[in-house]
PDB file of all heavy atoms in Angstrom:
ATOM      1  N   ASP N   1     -71.166  69.299 -29.223  1.00  0.00           N
ATOM      2  CA  ASP N   1     -70.842  69.447 -30.646  1.00  0.00           C
ATOM      3  C   ASP N   1     -69.552  68.768 -31.050  1.00  0.00           C
ATOM      4  O   ASP N   1     -68.606  68.780 -30.237  1.00  0.00           O
ATOM      5  CB  ASP N   1     -70.637  70.923 -31.036  1.00  0.00           C
ATOM      6  CG  ASP N   1     -72.018  71.764 -30.954  1.00  0.00           C
ATOM      7  OD1 ASP N   1     -72.984  71.221 -31.168  1.00  0.00           O
ATOM      8  OD2 ASP N   1     -71.882  72.985 -30.643  1.00  0.00           O
ATOM      9  N   GLU N   2     -69.566  67.969 -32.091  1.00  0.00           N
ATOM     10  CA  GLU N   2     -68.307  67.256 -32.474  1.00  0.00           C
ATOM     11  C   GLU N   2     -67.565  67.953 -33.542  1.00  0.00           C
ATOM     12  O   GLU N   2     -68.040  68.914 -34.278  1.00  0.00           O
ATOM     13  CB  GLU N   2     -68.805  65.820 -33.013  1.00  0.00           C
ATOM     14  CG  GLU N   2     -69.434  65.038 -31.842  1.00  0.00           C
ATOM     15  CD  GLU N   2     -69.694  63.539 -32.358  1.00  0.00           C
ATOM     16  OE1 GLU N   2     -70.141  63.535 -33.516  1.00  0.00           O
ATOM     17  OE2 GLU N   2     -69.649  62.704 -31.545  1.00  0.00           O
ATOM     18  N   ALA N   3     -66.279  67.654 -33.642  1.00  0.00           N
ATOM     19  CA  ALA N   3     -65.383  68.394 -34.574  1.00  0.00           C
ATOM     20  C   ALA N   3     -65.873  68.327 -36.022  1.00  0.00           C
ATOM     21  O   ALA N   3     -65.671  69.215 -36.779  1.00  0.00           O
ATOM     22  CB  ALA N   3     -63.939  67.792 -34.440  1.00  0.00           C
ATOM     23  N   ASP N   4     -66.603  67.197 -36.344  1.00  0.00           N
ATOM     24  CA  ASP N   4     -67.046  67.120 -37.789  1.00  0.00           C
ATOM     25  C   ASP N   4     -68.247  67.782 -38.017  1.00  0.00           C
ATOM     26  O   ASP N   4     -68.898  67.667 -39.132  1.00  0.00           O
ATOM     27  CB  ASP N   4     -67.155  65.617 -38.115  1.00  0.00           C
ATOM     28  CG  ASP N   4     -68.117  64.886 -37.323  1.00  0.00           C
ATOM     29  OD1 ASP N   4     -68.827  65.583 -36.509  1.00  0.00           O
ATOM     30  OD2 ASP N   4     -68.240  63.700 -37.413  1.00  0.00           O
ATOM     31  N   GLY N   5     -68.790  68.516 -37.037  1.00  0.00           N
ATOM     32  CA  GLY N   5     -69.999  69.277 -37.295  1.00  0.00           C
ATOM     33  C   GLY N   5     -71.234  68.541 -36.717  1.00  0.00           C
ATOM     34  O   GLY N   5     -72.433  69.140 -36.705  1.00  0.00           O
ATOM     35  N   GLY N   6     -71.167  67.252 -36.363  1.00  0.00           N
ATOM     36  CA  GLY N   6     -72.135  66.522 -35.899  1.00  0.00           C
ATOM     37  C   GLY N   6     -72.385  66.897 -34.375  1.00  0.00           C
ATOM     38  O   GLY N   6     -71.801  67.719 -33.696  1.00  0.00           O
ATOM     39  N   VAL N   7     -73.451  66.135 -33.926  1.00  0.00           N
ATOM     40  CA  VAL N   7     -73.811  66.306 -32.459  1.00  0.00           C
ATOM     41  C   VAL N   7     -73.619  64.961 -31.689  1.00  0.00           C
ATOM     42  O   VAL N   7     -74.213  63.991 -32.121  1.00  0.00           O
ATOM     43  CB  VAL N   7     -75.239  66.885 -32.252  1.00  0.00           C
ATOM     44  CG1 VAL N   7     -75.652  66.850 -30.819  1.00  0.00           C
ATOM     45  CG2 VAL N   7     -75.424  68.125 -32.940  1.00  0.00           C
ATOM     46  N   GLY N   8     -72.790  65.018 -30.648  1.00  0.00           N
ATOM     47  CA  GLY N   8     -72.712  63.781 -29.842  1.00  0.00           C
ATOM     48  C   GLY N   8     -73.760  63.753 -28.844  1.00  0.00           C
ATOM     49  O   GLY N   8     -74.150  64.736 -28.288  1.00  0.00           O
ATOM     50  N   ARG N   9     -74.218  62.591 -28.492  1.00  0.00           N
ATOM     51  CA  ARG N   9     -75.242  62.342 -27.466  1.00  0.00           C
ATOM     52  C   ARG N   9     -75.059  61.029 -26.738  1.00  0.00           C
ATOM     53  O   ARG N   9     -74.693  60.036 -27.301  1.00  0.00           O
ATOM     54  CB  ARG N   9     -76.617  62.468 -28.131  1.00  0.00           C
ATOM     55  CG  ARG N   9     -77.756  62.404 -27.143  1.00  0.00           C
ATOM     56  CD  ARG N   9     -79.126  62.434 -27.889  1.00  0.00           C
ATOM     57  NE  ARG N   9     -80.249  62.699 -26.980  1.00  0.00           N
ATOM     58  CZ  ARG N   9     -80.837  61.740 -26.255  1.00  0.00           C
ATOM     59  NH1 ARG N   9     -80.439  60.532 -26.323  1.00  0.00           N
ATOM     60  NH2 ARG N   9     -81.868  62.082 -25.514  1.00  0.00           N
ATOM     61  N   ALA N  10     -75.172  61.100 -25.411  1.00  0.00           N
ATOM     62  CA  ALA N  10     -75.016  59.914 -24.664  1.00  0.00           C
ATOM     63  C   ALA N  10     -76.053  59.937 -23.504  1.00  0.00           C
ATOM     64  O   ALA N  10     -76.153  60.974 -22.850  1.00  0.00           O
ATOM     65  CB  ALA N  10     -73.606  59.715 -24.106  1.00  0.00           C
ATOM     66  N   GLU N  11     -76.636  58.832 -23.110  1.00  0.00           N
ATOM     67  CA  GLU N  11     -77.427  58.703 -21.908  1.00  0.00           C
ATOM     68  C   GLU N  11     -76.476  58.613 -20.735  1.00  0.00           C
ATOM     69  O   GLU N  11     -75.478  57.875 -20.738  1.00  0.00           O
ATOM     70  CB  GLU N  11     -78.306  57.482 -21.985  1.00  0.00           C
ATOM     71  CG  GLU N  11     -79.441  57.612 -22.962  1.00  0.00           C
ATOM     72  CD  GLU N  11     -80.341  56.425 -22.935  1.00  0.00           C
ATOM     73  OE1 GLU N  11     -80.339  55.755 -21.833  1.00  0.00           O
ATOM     74  OE2 GLU N  11     -81.189  56.222 -23.804  1.00  0.00           O
ATOM     75  N   VAL N  12     -76.899  59.300 -19.630  1.00  0.00           N
ATOM     76  CA  VAL N  12     -76.294  59.202 -18.304  1.00  0.00           C
ATOM     77  C   VAL N  12     -77.018  58.101 -17.581  1.00  0.00           C
ATOM     78  O   VAL N  12     -78.183  58.306 -17.222  1.00  0.00           O
ATOM     79  CB  VAL N  12     -76.274  60.554 -17.569  1.00  0.00           C
ATOM     80  CG1 VAL N  12     -75.660  60.381 -16.211  1.00  0.00           C
ATOM     81  CG2 VAL N  12     -75.545  61.617 -18.300  1.00  0.00           C
ATOM     82  N   VAL N  13     -76.340  56.950 -17.463  1.00  0.00           N
ATOM     83  CA  VAL N  13     -77.025  55.779 -16.831  1.00  0.00           C
ATOM     84  C   VAL N  13     -76.557  55.551 -15.386  1.00  0.00           C
ATOM     85  O   VAL N  13     -77.074  54.591 -14.763  1.00  0.00           O
ATOM     86  CB  VAL N  13     -76.744  54.603 -17.703  1.00  0.00           C
ATOM     87  CG1 VAL N  13     -77.372  54.701 -19.056  1.00  0.00           C
ATOM     88  CG2 VAL N  13     -75.263  54.193 -17.877  1.00  0.00           C
ATOM     89  N   GLY N  14     -75.553  56.292 -14.968  1.00  0.00           N
ATOM     90  CA  GLY N  14     -75.095  56.078 -13.599  1.00  0.00           C
ATOM     91  C   GLY N  14     -74.369  57.335 -13.074  1.00  0.00           C
ATOM     92  O   GLY N  14     -73.641  57.988 -13.931  1.00  0.00           O
ATOM     93  N   VAL N  15     -74.499  57.753 -11.809  1.00  0.00           N
ATOM     94  CA  VAL N  15     -73.813  58.813 -11.290  1.00  0.00           C
ATOM     95  C   VAL N  15     -73.333  58.430  -9.894  1.00  0.00           C
ATOM     96  O   VAL N  15     -74.132  57.864  -9.126  1.00  0.00           O
ATOM     97  CB  VAL N  15     -74.662  60.088 -11.233  1.00  0.00           C
ATOM     98  CG1 VAL N  15     -73.911  61.322 -10.852  1.00  0.00           C
ATOM     99  CG2 VAL N  15     -75.451  60.392 -12.525  1.00  0.00           C
ATOM    100  N   ARG N  16     -72.135  58.753  -9.596  1.00  0.00           N
ATOM    101  CA  ARG N  16     -71.566  58.441  -8.288  1.00  0.00           C
ATOM    102  C   ARG N  16     -70.495  59.340  -7.835  1.00  0.00           C
ATOM    103  O   ARG N  16     -69.914  60.101  -8.646  1.00  0.00           O
ATOM    104  CB  ARG N  16     -70.883  57.065  -8.340  1.00  0.00           C
ATOM    105  CG  ARG N  16     -69.737  56.863  -9.147  1.00  0.00           C
ATOM    106  CD  ARG N  16     -69.092  55.521  -9.147  1.00  0.00           C
ATOM    107  NE  ARG N  16     -67.851  55.427  -9.867  1.00  0.00           N
ATOM    108  CZ  ARG N  16     -66.997  54.338  -9.901  1.00  0.00           C
ATOM    109  NH1 ARG N  16     -67.487  53.202  -9.286  1.00  0.00           N
ATOM    110  NH2 ARG N  16     -65.922  54.347 -10.604  1.00  0.00           N
ATOM    111  N   ARG N  17     -70.334  59.451  -6.522  1.00  0.00           N
ATOM    112  CA  ARG N  17     -69.281  60.340  -5.963  1.00  0.00           C
ATOM    113  C   ARG N  17     -68.064  59.473  -5.615  1.00  0.00           C
ATOM    114  O   ARG N  17     -68.216  58.389  -5.004  1.00  0.00           O
ATOM    115  CB  ARG N  17     -69.798  60.980  -4.626  1.00  0.00           C
ATOM    116  CG  ARG N  17     -68.848  62.171  -4.172  1.00  0.00           C
ATOM    117  CD  ARG N  17     -69.368  62.687  -2.808  1.00  0.00           C
ATOM    118  NE  ARG N  17     -70.733  63.298  -3.060  1.00  0.00           N
ATOM    119  CZ  ARG N  17     -70.991  64.533  -3.464  1.00  0.00           C
ATOM    120  NH1 ARG N  17     -69.923  65.248  -3.787  1.00  0.00           N
ATOM    121  NH2 ARG N  17     -72.218  64.991  -3.477  1.00  0.00           N
ATOM    122  N   ARG N  18     -66.900  59.868  -6.091  1.00  0.00           N
ATOM    123  CA  ARG N  18     -65.694  59.118  -5.905  1.00  0.00           C
ATOM    124  C   ARG N  18     -64.469  59.948  -5.871  1.00  0.00           C
ATOM    125  O   ARG N  18     -64.312  60.832  -6.764  1.00  0.00           O
ATOM    126  CB  ARG N  18     -65.497  58.071  -6.955  1.00  0.00           C
ATOM    127  CG  ARG N  18     -64.308  57.156  -6.765  1.00  0.00           C
ATOM    128  CD  ARG N  18     -64.334  56.146  -7.893  1.00  0.00           C
ATOM    129  NE  ARG N  18     -63.247  55.077  -7.562  1.00  0.00           N
ATOM    130  CZ  ARG N  18     -62.943  54.090  -8.359  1.00  0.00           C
ATOM    131  NH1 ARG N  18     -63.645  53.741  -9.396  1.00  0.00           N
ATOM    132  NH2 ARG N  18     -61.945  53.189  -7.936  1.00  0.00           N
ATOM    133  N   ASP N  19     -63.700  59.847  -4.786  1.00  0.00           N
ATOM    134  CA  ASP N  19     -62.533  60.645  -4.615  1.00  0.00           C
ATOM    135  C   ASP N  19     -62.750  62.133  -4.704  1.00  0.00           C
ATOM    136  O   ASP N  19     -61.973  62.835  -5.353  1.00  0.00           O
ATOM    137  CB  ASP N  19     -61.372  60.177  -5.651  1.00  0.00           C
ATOM    138  CG  ASP N  19     -61.026  58.685  -5.562  1.00  0.00           C
ATOM    139  OD1 ASP N  19     -61.082  58.216  -4.327  1.00  0.00           O
ATOM    140  OD2 ASP N  19     -60.675  58.063  -6.478  1.00  0.00           O
ATOM    141  N   GLY N  20     -63.884  62.552  -4.153  1.00  0.00           N
ATOM    142  CA  GLY N  20     -64.159  63.948  -4.061  1.00  0.00           C
ATOM    143  C   GLY N  20     -64.744  64.534  -5.313  1.00  0.00           C
ATOM    144  O   GLY N  20     -65.026  65.711  -5.373  1.00  0.00           O
ATOM    145  N   SER N  21     -65.039  63.717  -6.396  1.00  0.00           N
ATOM    146  CA  SER N  21     -65.684  64.159  -7.575  1.00  0.00           C
ATOM    147  C   SER N  21     -66.902  63.357  -7.873  1.00  0.00           C
ATOM    148  O   SER N  21     -67.066  62.300  -7.404  1.00  0.00           O
ATOM    149  CB  SER N  21     -64.697  63.889  -8.735  1.00  0.00           C
ATOM    150  OG  SER N  21     -63.426  64.755  -8.567  1.00  0.00           O
ATOM    151  N   ILE N  22     -67.760  63.932  -8.771  1.00  0.00           N
ATOM    152  CA  ILE N  22     -68.909  63.349  -9.226  1.00  0.00           C
ATOM    153  C   ILE N  22     -68.749  62.740 -10.685  1.00  0.00           C
ATOM    154  O   ILE N  22     -68.358  63.478 -11.492  1.00  0.00           O
ATOM    155  CB  ILE N  22     -70.085  64.176  -9.124  1.00  0.00           C
ATOM    156  CG1 ILE N  22     -70.499  64.596  -7.723  1.00  0.00           C
ATOM    157  CG2 ILE N  22     -71.315  63.534  -9.891  1.00  0.00           C
ATOM    158  CD1 ILE N  22     -71.586  65.602  -7.624  1.00  0.00           C
ATOM    159  N   GLN N  23     -68.786  61.520 -10.742  1.00  0.00           N
ATOM    160  CA  GLN N  23     -68.568  60.777 -12.089  1.00  0.00           C
ATOM    161  C   GLN N  23     -69.915  60.447 -12.688  1.00  0.00           C
ATOM    162  O   GLN N  23     -70.792  59.970 -12.064  1.00  0.00           O
ATOM    163  CB  GLN N  23     -67.725  59.429 -11.819  1.00  0.00           C
ATOM    164  CG  GLN N  23     -66.356  59.664 -11.341  1.00  0.00           C
ATOM    165  CD  GLN N  23     -65.576  58.383 -11.285  1.00  0.00           C
ATOM    166  OE1 GLN N  23     -66.053  57.339 -11.131  1.00  0.00           O
ATOM    167  NE2 GLN N  23     -64.178  58.575 -11.416  1.00  0.00           N
ATOM    168  N   HIS N  24     -69.950  60.663 -13.972  1.00  0.00           N
ATOM    169  CA  HIS N  24     -71.090  60.300 -14.764  1.00  0.00           C
ATOM    170  C   HIS N  24     -70.814  59.157 -15.746  1.00  0.00           C
ATOM    171  O   HIS N  24     -69.929  59.394 -16.565  1.00  0.00           O
ATOM    172  CB  HIS N  24     -71.557  61.572 -15.549  1.00  0.00           C
ATOM    173  CG  HIS N  24     -71.681  62.849 -14.787  1.00  0.00           C
ATOM    174  ND1 HIS N  24     -70.638  63.530 -14.287  1.00  0.00           N
ATOM    175  CD2 HIS N  24     -72.793  63.515 -14.404  1.00  0.00           C
ATOM    176  CE1 HIS N  24     -71.094  64.589 -13.547  1.00  0.00           C
ATOM    177  NE2 HIS N  24     -72.431  64.588 -13.687  1.00  0.00           N
ATOM    178  N   GLU N  25     -71.525  58.103 -15.605  1.00  0.00           N
ATOM    179  CA  GLU N  25     -71.327  56.972 -16.482  1.00  0.00           C
ATOM    180  C   GLU N  25     -72.178  57.085 -17.754  1.00  0.00           C
ATOM    181  O   GLU N  25     -73.430  57.256 -17.559  1.00  0.00           O
ATOM    182  CB  GLU N  25     -71.668  55.707 -15.764  1.00  0.00           C
ATOM    183  CG  GLU N  25     -71.416  54.375 -16.527  1.00  0.00           C
ATOM    184  CD  GLU N  25     -71.739  53.142 -15.786  1.00  0.00           C
ATOM    185  OE1 GLU N  25     -72.079  53.223 -14.586  1.00  0.00           O
ATOM    186  OE2 GLU N  25     -71.686  52.089 -16.447  1.00  0.00           O
ATOM    187  N   LEU N  26     -71.572  57.081 -18.927  1.00  0.00           N
ATOM    188  CA  LEU N  26     -72.322  57.193 -20.154  1.00  0.00           C
ATOM    189  C   LEU N  26     -72.531  55.909 -20.912  1.00  0.00           C
ATOM    190  O   LEU N  26     -71.583  55.160 -20.955  1.00  0.00           O
ATOM    191  CB  LEU N  26     -71.503  58.210 -21.038  1.00  0.00           C
ATOM    192  CG  LEU N  26     -71.183  59.628 -20.376  1.00  0.00           C
ATOM    193  CD1 LEU N  26     -70.519  60.411 -21.426  1.00  0.00           C
ATOM    194  CD2 LEU N  26     -72.392  60.216 -19.743  1.00  0.00           C
ATOM    195  N   ALA N  27     -73.678  55.788 -21.434  1.00  0.00           N
ATOM    196  CA  ALA N  27     -73.929  54.585 -22.398  1.00  0.00           C
ATOM    197  C   ALA N  27     -73.521  54.919 -23.779  1.00  0.00           C
ATOM    198  O   ALA N  27     -74.360  55.311 -24.523  1.00  0.00           O
ATOM    199  CB  ALA N  27     -75.404  54.176 -22.244  1.00  0.00           C
ATOM    200  N   VAL N  28     -72.152  54.879 -23.995  1.00  0.00           N
ATOM    201  CA  VAL N  28     -71.643  55.202 -25.405  1.00  0.00           C
ATOM    202  C   VAL N  28     -70.341  54.500 -25.529  1.00  0.00           C
ATOM    203  O   VAL N  28     -69.629  54.228 -24.569  1.00  0.00           O
ATOM    204  CB  VAL N  28     -71.474  56.702 -25.495  1.00  0.00           C
ATOM    205  CG1 VAL N  28     -70.394  57.259 -24.410  1.00  0.00           C
ATOM    206  CG2 VAL N  28     -71.176  57.161 -26.847  1.00  0.00           C
ATOM    207  N   ASP N  29     -69.981  54.187 -26.744  1.00  0.00           N
ATOM    208  CA  ASP N  29     -68.719  53.571 -27.029  1.00  0.00           C
ATOM    209  C   ASP N  29     -67.562  54.470 -26.651  1.00  0.00           C
ATOM    210  O   ASP N  29     -67.647  55.708 -26.697  1.00  0.00           O
ATOM    211  CB  ASP N  29     -68.568  53.178 -28.563  1.00  0.00           C
ATOM    212  CG  ASP N  29     -69.618  52.230 -28.985  1.00  0.00           C
ATOM    213  OD1 ASP N  29     -70.038  51.290 -28.111  1.00  0.00           O
ATOM    214  OD2 ASP N  29     -69.889  52.171 -30.133  1.00  0.00           O
ATOM    215  N   ASP N  30     -66.455  53.777 -26.227  1.00  0.00           N
ATOM    216  CA  ASP N  30     -65.295  54.693 -25.721  1.00  0.00           C
ATOM    217  C   ASP N  30     -64.820  55.640 -26.790  1.00  0.00           C
ATOM    218  O   ASP N  30     -64.370  56.770 -26.385  1.00  0.00           O
ATOM    219  CB  ASP N  30     -64.222  53.706 -25.320  1.00  0.00           C
ATOM    220  CG  ASP N  30     -64.448  52.949 -24.051  1.00  0.00           C
ATOM    221  OD1 ASP N  30     -65.471  53.311 -23.381  1.00  0.00           O
ATOM    222  OD2 ASP N  30     -63.728  52.026 -23.721  1.00  0.00           O
ATOM    223  N   ASP N  31     -64.793  55.268 -28.136  1.00  0.00           N
ATOM    224  CA  ASP N  31     -64.299  56.159 -29.169  1.00  0.00           C
ATOM    225  C   ASP N  31     -65.340  57.292 -29.419  1.00  0.00           C
ATOM    226  O   ASP N  31     -64.987  58.262 -30.136  1.00  0.00           O
ATOM    227  CB  ASP N  31     -64.013  55.398 -30.327  1.00  0.00           C
ATOM    228  CG  ASP N  31     -65.112  54.592 -30.926  1.00  0.00           C
ATOM    229  OD1 ASP N  31     -66.303  54.719 -30.403  1.00  0.00           O
ATOM    230  OD2 ASP N  31     -64.959  53.976 -31.971  1.00  0.00           O
ATOM    231  N   ALA N  32     -66.546  57.288 -28.746  1.00  0.00           N
ATOM    232  CA  ALA N  32     -67.537  58.312 -29.015  1.00  0.00           C
ATOM    233  C   ALA N  32     -67.604  59.259 -27.842  1.00  0.00           C
ATOM    234  O   ALA N  32     -68.418  60.148 -27.791  1.00  0.00           O
ATOM    235  CB  ALA N  32     -68.812  57.748 -29.412  1.00  0.00           C
ATOM    236  N   LEU N  33     -66.759  59.102 -26.734  1.00  0.00           N
ATOM    237  CA  LEU N  33     -66.862  59.867 -25.544  1.00  0.00           C
ATOM    238  C   LEU N  33     -66.313  61.202 -25.846  1.00  0.00           C
ATOM    239  O   LEU N  33     -65.526  61.506 -26.671  1.00  0.00           O
ATOM    240  CB  LEU N  33     -65.965  59.240 -24.495  1.00  0.00           C
ATOM    241  CG  LEU N  33     -66.531  58.015 -23.773  1.00  0.00           C
ATOM    242  CD1 LEU N  33     -65.375  57.311 -23.034  1.00  0.00           C
ATOM    243  CD2 LEU N  33     -67.622  58.418 -22.858  1.00  0.00           C
ATOM    244  N   PRO N  34     -66.998  62.249 -25.181  1.00  0.00           N
ATOM    245  CA  PRO N  34     -66.481  63.573 -25.278  1.00  0.00           C
ATOM    246  C   PRO N  34     -65.022  63.694 -24.598  1.00  0.00           C
ATOM    247  O   PRO N  34     -64.841  63.071 -23.684  1.00  0.00           O
ATOM    248  CB  PRO N  34     -67.468  64.549 -24.509  1.00  0.00           C
ATOM    249  CG  PRO N  34     -68.040  63.470 -23.549  1.00  0.00           C
ATOM    250  CD  PRO N  34     -68.117  62.146 -24.252  1.00  0.00           C
ATOM    251  N   THR N  35     -64.157  64.529 -25.216  1.00  0.00           N
ATOM    252  CA  THR N  35     -62.785  64.562 -24.655  1.00  0.00           C
ATOM    253  C   THR N  35     -62.745  65.741 -23.655  1.00  0.00           C
ATOM    254  O   THR N  35     -63.587  66.707 -23.605  1.00  0.00           O
ATOM    255  CB  THR N  35     -61.877  64.921 -25.688  1.00  0.00           C
ATOM    256  OG1 THR N  35     -62.273  66.086 -26.441  1.00  0.00           O
ATOM    257  CG2 THR N  35     -61.817  63.680 -26.786  1.00  0.00           C
TER     258      THR N  35
END
């Protein structure tokens, strides 16, 4: 859910383990990323 009442959505196009964490790569513009 976005602050303006809309719904954010992004495809997960890559997943990798790095530095002990699992990172999810999203196909979305940087300014549309969840915070």
Side-chain angles (χ1 to χ4, degrees):
D1 292 332
E2 296 184 324
D4 62 3
V7 176
R9 188 179 190 276
E11 290 187 17
V12 178
V13 296
V15 189
R16 66 179 185 178
R17 192 184 298 278
R18 185 174 184 181
D19 298 331
S21 298
I22 293 178
Q23 296 184 332
H24 307 73
E25 182 179 355
L26 306 184
V28 65
D29 294 337
D30 289 351
D31 59 0
L33 286 164
T35 57

